[in-house]
């Protein structure tokens, strides 16, 4: 499922980022990737509980985690004025 051509060179130059990627992969996401040219890592989980468990496992001592969720239904439309 996809890939990022920057992963090999970035992980080669930034072993700490490689270690964090491996730690992220160990949380069993559906998908984990380097995002863009190396500014972030992303992971997709089946449920919010899986995501939150992974966040607890990884911790935020050495990195910042941003948790997001997708909607299961369309957003409500604004009320007519």
């Amino acid at each position: 499922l996809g890939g990022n051509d920057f992963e090999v060179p970035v992980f080669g130059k930034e072993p700490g980022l490689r270690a964090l990627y491996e730690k992220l992969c160990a949380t069993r996401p559906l998908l984990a990737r380097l995002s863009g040219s190396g500014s972030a890592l992303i992971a997709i989980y089946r449920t919010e509980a899986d995501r939150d468990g992974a966040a607890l496992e990884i911790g935020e001592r050495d990195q910042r985690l941003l948790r997001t969720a997708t909607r299961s239904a369309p957003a409500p439309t604004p009320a007519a004025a």
Side-chain angles (χ1 to χ4, degrees):
L1 293 173
N4 185 326
D5 292 338
F6 287 108
E7 287 177 354
V8 171
V10 169
F11 291 155
K13 290 185 181 225
E14 297 292 338
L17 190 59
R18 172 66 184 212
L20 180 57
Y21 176 76
E22 290 173 356
K23 194 174 183 181
L24 186 65
C25 288
T27 65
R28 298 162 307 286
L30 296 172
L31 173 73
R33 291 267 66 102
L34 180 73
S35 178
S37 60
S39 61
L41 297 171
I42 62 165
I44 299 172
Y45 296 91
R46 188 172 306 281
T47 67
E48 289 181 31
D50 290 347
R51 177 205 63 199
D52 293 344
L56 287 173
E57 193 174 325
I58 292 170
E60 293 191 68
R61 192 180 103 205
D62 298 319
Q63 60 277 326
R64 182 173 168 211
L65 303 176
L66 301 175
R67 300 176 200 180
T68 62
T70 57
R71 293 181 178 270
S72 59
T77 57

